[in-house]
Amino acid sequence: MTDQSALPETPANMRHVHKPLNHDSAVKHVQGTATYIDDMPEPIGTLHVVPGWARQVVRGKLTSIDLDAVRKAPGVVKVLTADDIPGVNDCSAAMGDDPVLATDEILFYGQVVFAVIASSREAGRKAALLARIEAQPTTPIITAEDAVAADITVLPDYQFRRGSPETGMTAAENVLSGVFQIGGQEHFYLEGQVAVASPQEDGGVMVYTSTQHPTEVQHTVAKVLGVPDALVVAEVRRMGGGFGGKESQANQWASLAALAAAATGETCKLRLDRDDDMIMTGKRHDFRVEWQIGHDSEGRIRAVDLNFLARCGYSADLSLGVNDRTMFHADSSYFYPDAVIRSRRLKTDTCSNTAFRGFGGPQGMLTAERMIDAIAITVGKDPLEIRQLNFYDAEHNLTPYGMPVEEHEVMYDLFGQLVESSDYWARRDEVRDFNSHNAVLKKGLALTPVKFGISFTLKHLNQAGALVHLYTDGSVHLNHGGTEMGQGLYQKVAQVVADEFGMSIDKVRITATNTSKVPNTGPTAASSGTDLNAMAARNAARAIKDRLIDFLCKTHHCGEEAIAFQDNKVFVGEQQFSLAQVAKQAHLARIHLSDAGFYATPNITWDRDSASGRPFFYFAYGAACAEVTIDTMTGEMTVDRVDLLHDVGHSLNPAIDIGQIEGGFVQGMGWLTTEELVWDEQGRLRTHAPSTYKIPAASDIPEDFNVALYQSKGNPQDTIYRSKAVGEPPVMLANAVFCAITDAVASLNPGFVPDLDAPATPEAIMKAVRSVRQAQAGSRGAAE
């Protein structure tokens, strides 16, 4: 239930910004009329593309590919292999190590070897099964431990270092250490990977693609076809979810559709089957974390030594940025006086892991919370006390990578408010009492913080463009480089533009993201979609509006202060005109009513080589309190109550922001409790369908679910109307659930740190329960 009193006040001159307006496609979503790529009418003669792969081969050098039966199958028009690629056989984001179609070897189970072009999707799927592919098998490298033993990586090792962690560890009164396994996560977007490509004149192609990065799809398709970028147009109106899984991973499928269109001269469509989608596409990175922390008798951190071993898969993909962000967020909200944070980007013979909401940050922050819990358990204090003791403050405000934490007081205030509103201390007593009277069921309680840096750490991505046209009837055509994946970006940008022109929201026509309208865009990722694109759109709208004001001042011999835009009208002193009248008059006076706005995030100066600078424009904050009950006989767990308080600055749209907070939390809770990816010893993904991979369902949502927006004074940085990003930070609110489970298991043997890995599935909980009880039995035996 949402606390409406927590919503920010709306300035009198704003009609749309700060209002809880519906998502622009909300009605269409409910009615089922929102058009996704698979809903688009197919031109007569549309052909269907189905990727073919070696289902019996996990890893090895190809020795023979027999596709004769595939080519002769009913409905098959053509079969493509790597030899049919006219350009470069690569669909990687940057590193050049992701072949569109395999050539000499199979690098992972599920790698695409060929593509069937058929008259129907069903015919193509049946034909693809007829391939006979043989390879000389090699022993696959599957786990992080395998990769460490083989000493193989996709990228060089990297580290941050501050002070002397060796000296700090030696000087610490107490030192704790451990190994923590953090699992990956399947994106499980509702709309799978899909693309439609239509051939155009002069070797060009129009690609409708479900992607978070249309410009990268444009560039990749052009590279694969061997044509200039200008001959490729990529367009996306909406995605049925992305979560990072369509930032780089859409490239391959758009490229295959475009190759088929070029080869046949017909419109070609590719839509992955759900099983193939899960097998062939990357996941959230899973980690083996080796941690050591030194602290004093009170629980204050003295030194930290972290070694993040990331399982990246067969290629680099986006692993550089993902793993860097894990390191950036390994401090969570806590000051480390001396620290070394290392990262190894391990190469394994599995699908290439990729971006996922939080982009590595959740893994870093969860590690920090594991260490805090370990300190609390061993010194016999409530974890809440240890968290507050180690928060950044005015004196201790420098991160391990050298950036100052400028709003630490927001964290203190927000955290304190949630301690009070969640009734934490009274509930702690209730949990303790419950556990003392129940032998089988045990409750746990945790309140954890979120501090998440906002910006791309790759500096050049922090830019955006927008195209705004004002027509002579007073309506606006709005286009920008951001993509809509259900998060409400289009609606927020439209609200900003509507208020700039003083028009009603129905006058703003939202249009599909298109590389021929706004070029060279960055991906919609890093929680920066609104920060970047709303600013670019506002700049465009203001440029047009400034021309109108200048025109009116000259026409009516008045100053700018006499002119106001509001309610689809323009007020000039005592006179008023409709916006349409003013636009028409300006057009007749040959005033330009269009503008290509641009925005680049200021004040970010990260230098990766020296590991110094300011990688983030600002931090978003939040806190979560979670109460759980575990069954120590079965490992089953229920989330009983959740309280969330989150900082979004001055919210552009409270309804959308609250929805993002709720959804992000639930997705994070799934990652940490139910969503388990399993590869067998041969490297085959066994959890490749809803039947074997469990995302949170309605029954997993806590009945007592309280969400509120922090009453912020506004973002101190000059963001769009002083708002803050909301896309990724809420995922890490779910750390409270994992910590609450840890708390419940720890209650079985006070003073002993449970060996609980993520996700905390019933099996993982039972393993932790057994370890605690074995330690307890050992202690009793030693005492006797």
Side-chain angles (χ1 to χ4, degrees):
M1 146 179 218
T2 300
D3 179 5
Q4 294 296 321
S5 66
L7 303 183
E9 294 182 4
T10 301
N13 64 329
M14 294 292 197
R15 295 291 188 267
H16 306 97
V17 172
H18 306 317
K19 292 286 187 67
L21 302 185
N22 289 341
H23 189 287
D24 66 283
S25 299
V27 173
K28 290 188 279 288
H29 286 156
V30 173
Q31 294 176 338
T33 58
T35 301
Y36 295 88
I37 290 175
D38 200 35
D39 301 314
M40 295 171 60
E42 297 176 4
I44 294 174
T46 294
L47 300 175
H48 296 263
V49 186
V50 175
W53 52 291
R55 297 172 186 269
Q56 305 305 317
V57 180
V58 172
R59 175 74 170 92
K61 184 175 178 60
L62 286 166
T63 56
S64 70
I65 304 174
D66 183 355
L67 302 177
D68 286 346
V70 180
R71 293 187 175 95
K72 294 174 183 177
V76 172
V77 175
K78 193 174 182 63
V79 177
L80 301 177
T81 67
D83 292 337
D84 297 304
I85 297 176
V88 181
N89 184 17
D90 175 57
C91 58
S92 68
M95 301 298 180
D97 55 355
D98 277 314
V100 178
L101 294 171
T103 52
D104 300 325
E105 57 182 335
I106 300 294
L107 301 172
F108 71 97
Y109 182 70
Q111 184 174 14
V112 183
V113 178
F114 62 95
V116 181
I117 309 171
S119 56
S120 71
R121 187 167 176 268
E122 182 179 6
R125 282 169 54 78
K126 288 181 178 179
L129 297 175
L130 302 177
R132 294 182 179 180
I133 301 174
E134 295 180 359
Q136 181 179 345
T138 57
T139 302
I141 295 172
I142 304 303
T143 66
E145 290 79 4
D146 292 341
V148 170
D151 192 23
I152 185 169
T153 62
V154 296
L155 293 163
D157 297 349
Y158 190 55
Q159 72 172 32
F160 300 150
R161 173 180 285 269
R162 189 177 66 206
S164 176
E166 295 82 5
T167 302
M169 206 70 71
T170 302
E173 294 179 52
N174 301 284
V175 176
L176 300 171
S177 63
V179 174
F180 185 29
Q181 300 284 352
I182 304 175
Q185 187 177 18
E186 162 64 32
H187 299 87
F188 218 98
Y189 23 64
L190 290 180
E191 178 200 32
Q193 298 283 358
V194 59
V196 174
S198 295
Q200 307 291 301
E201 291 183 346
D202 302 320
V205 64
M206 176 75 193
V207 183
Y208 298 95
T209 168
S210 184
T211 181
Q212 295 169 236
H213 199 347
T215 289
E216 189 172 281
V217 166
Q218 175 197 27
H219 174 70
T220 303
V221 168
K223 176 177 64 175
V224 170
L225 293 181
V227 301
D229 284 7
L231 280 178
V232 179
V233 177
E235 179 172 303
V236 52
R237 171 57 181 89
R238 59 173 63 84
M239 286 168 276
F243 312 118
K246 296 175 180 176
E247 183 173 345
S248 65
Q249 300 270 303
N251 296 350
Q252 183 174 15
W253 319 115
S255 296
L256 285 173
L259 282 168
T264 63
E266 300 288 350
T267 295
C268 290
K269 179 178 180 179
L270 185 154
R271 175 170 63 83
L272 287 187
D273 174 77
R274 177 65 69 177
D275 290 76
D276 287 354
D277 196 317
M278 293 182 72
I279 290 170
M280 294 174 174
T281 62
K283 324 296 178 194
R284 186 189 292 280
H285 288 66
D286 48 295
F287 282 79
R288 173 187 168 94
V289 186
E290 299 166 349
W291 61 271
Q292 185 178 50
I293 190 165
H295 63 91
D296 65 19
S297 59
E298 296 298 310
R300 184 176 285 103
I301 296 170
R302 178 68 183 85
V304 167
D305 187 325
L306 291 171
N307 192 22
F308 288 102
L309 305 175
R311 201 169 68 99
C312 298
Y314 83 97
S315 67
D317 195 79
L318 299 175
S319 289
L320 187 147
V322 168
N323 285 275
D324 282 6
R325 191 171 280 265
T326 296
M327 300 169 69
F328 284 126
H329 290 84
D331 61 337
S332 185
S333 300
Y334 313 116
F335 176 68
Y336 298 162
D338 294 297
V340 58
I341 302 172
R342 307 180 187 87
S343 169
R344 297 205 73 194
R345 294 97 198 272
L346 301 171
K347 183 175 183 177
T348 55
D349 298 326
T350 53
C351 59
S352 190
N353 286 328
T354 190
F356 200 122
R357 197 174 187 176
F359 206 74
Q363 296 94 317
M365 290 178 61
L366 186 67
T367 299
E369 303 306 340
R370 160 52 58 92
M371 295 191 297
I372 291 289
D373 283 343
I375 294 172
I377 290 167
T378 53
V379 302
K381 289 187 176 183
D382 192 286
L384 180 64
E385 298 177 84
I386 304 301
R387 290 189 164 91
Q388 291 179 309
L389 180 67
N390 287 287
F391 275 166
Y392 285 103
D393 58 28
E395 184 180 353
H396 308 99
N397 73 336
L398 205 63
T399 65
Y401 48 92
M403 178 176 169
V405 179
E406 297 161 344
E407 286 184 277
H408 52 81
E409 69 281 355
V410 171
M411 183 74 259
Y412 273 94
D413 186 48
L414 187 153
F415 202 79
Q417 285 186 31
L418 189 61
V419 170
E420 183 177 349
S421 64
S422 67
D423 205 16
Y424 179 87
W425 291 111
R427 288 169 61 198
R428 171 57 73 190
D429 291 338
E430 293 170 3
V431 165
R432 192 177 293 114
D433 182 64
F434 178 92
N435 289 343
S436 68
H437 289 90
N438 289 271
V440 175
L441 299 181
K442 297 294 180 180
K443 280 187 174 292
L445 183 69
L447 203 157
T448 59
V450 167
K451 173 183 68 70
F452 192 77
I454 305 299
S455 288
F456 288 98
T457 52
L458 194 59
K459 184 177 178 179
H460 76 267
L461 295 179
N462 295 286
Q463 60 178 303
L467 180 64
V468 175
H469 303 317
L470 174 63
Y471 295 112
T472 56
D473 67 346
S475 64
V476 160
H477 173 106
L478 171 62
N479 194 271
H480 53 78
T483 58
E484 176 62 51
M485 60 195 96
Q487 84 278 37
L489 170 64
Y490 278 16
Q491 177 65 24
K492 285 184 174 181
V493 178
Q495 287 174 235
V496 168
V497 170
D499 273 348
E500 283 299 320
F501 283 115
M503 62 174 52
S504 55
I505 196 77
D506 62 299
K507 298 287 188 181
V508 179
R509 172 61 178 169
I510 297 170
T511 60
T513 307
N514 184 298
T515 56
S516 66
K517 291 184 178 181
V518 178
N520 308 320
T521 62
T524 303
S527 301
S528 60
T530 301
D531 284 3
L532 294 171
N533 293 285
M535 274 291 205
R538 187 179 74 169
N539 290 344
R542 284 188 172 178
I544 299 169
K545 185 177 173 181
D546 286 346
R547 293 181 205 130
L548 292 177
I549 290 172
D550 182 63
F551 164 68
L552 291 169
C553 287
K554 292 176 180 177
T555 303
H556 295 276
H557 308 291
C558 65
E560 294 182 6
E561 70 281 354
I563 299 171
F565 291 67
Q566 191 169 307
D567 299 330
N568 297 317
K569 296 183 178 65
V570 181
F571 297 86
V572 184
E574 298 299 319
Q575 302 180 74
Q576 68 176 45
F577 307 91
S578 70
L579 180 57
Q581 286 177 297
V582 171
K584 183 65 177 293
Q585 291 168 2
H587 172 66
L588 294 175
R590 297 185 297 180
I591 304 298
H592 188 40
L593 300 181
S594 177
D595 196 82
F598 181 77
Y599 173 76
T601 308
N603 305 325
I604 45 176
T605 56
W606 178 247
D607 180 70
R608 191 174 185 275
D609 291 337
S610 64
S612 62
R614 182 190 180 98
F616 305 118
F617 193 27
Y618 61 89
F619 291 106
Y621 296 92
C625 181
E627 181 179 328
V628 306
T629 302
I630 67 168
D631 186 326
T632 60
M633 297 292 288
T634 66
E636 292 175 286
M637 183 276 301
T638 59
V639 182
D640 304 317
R641 175 177 167 182
V642 168
D643 296 81
L644 309 179
L645 183 61
H646 201 71
D647 167 34
V648 295
H650 287 166
S651 173
L652 295 180
N653 187 316
I656 285 175
D657 285 351
I658 287 169
Q660 285 292 290
I661 294 166
E662 292 171 344
F665 170 82
V666 171
Q667 190 170 51
M669 185 177 72
W671 167 54
L672 293 175
T673 60
T674 67
E675 298 185 43
E676 184 177 26
L677 292 163
V678 178
W679 280 265
D680 64 19
E681 292 180 356
Q682 287 74 45
R684 296 173 297 183
L685 180 66
R686 310 308 282 175
T687 50
H688 54 75
S691 58
T692 51
Y693 185 83
K694 187 186 184 318
I695 63 172
S699 58
D700 297 304
I701 310 303
E703 289 188 20
D704 197 352
F705 192 12
N706 306 294
V707 183
L709 300 183
Y710 172 67
Q711 287 187 306
S712 171
K713 296 178 182 178
N715 194 335
Q717 299 299 331
D718 186 18
T719 55
I720 186 73
Y721 298 124
R722 302 294 179 179
S723 62
K724 283 190 175 184
V726 72
E728 293 172 295
V731 171
M732 285 144 281
L733 294 171
N735 288 345
V737 174
F738 186 84
C739 292
I741 297 170
T742 301
D743 183 61
V745 177
S747 71
L748 295 168
N749 185 10
F752 182 79
V753 181
D755 182 19
L756 181 66
D757 291 328
T761 60
E763 294 86 352
I765 291 173
M766 282 306 302
K767 176 187 172 185
V769 167
R770 283 194 295 269
S771 71
V772 169
R773 284 180 168 158
Q774 287 168 1
Q776 189 177 43
S779 298
R780 287 174 180 169
E784 293 173 357

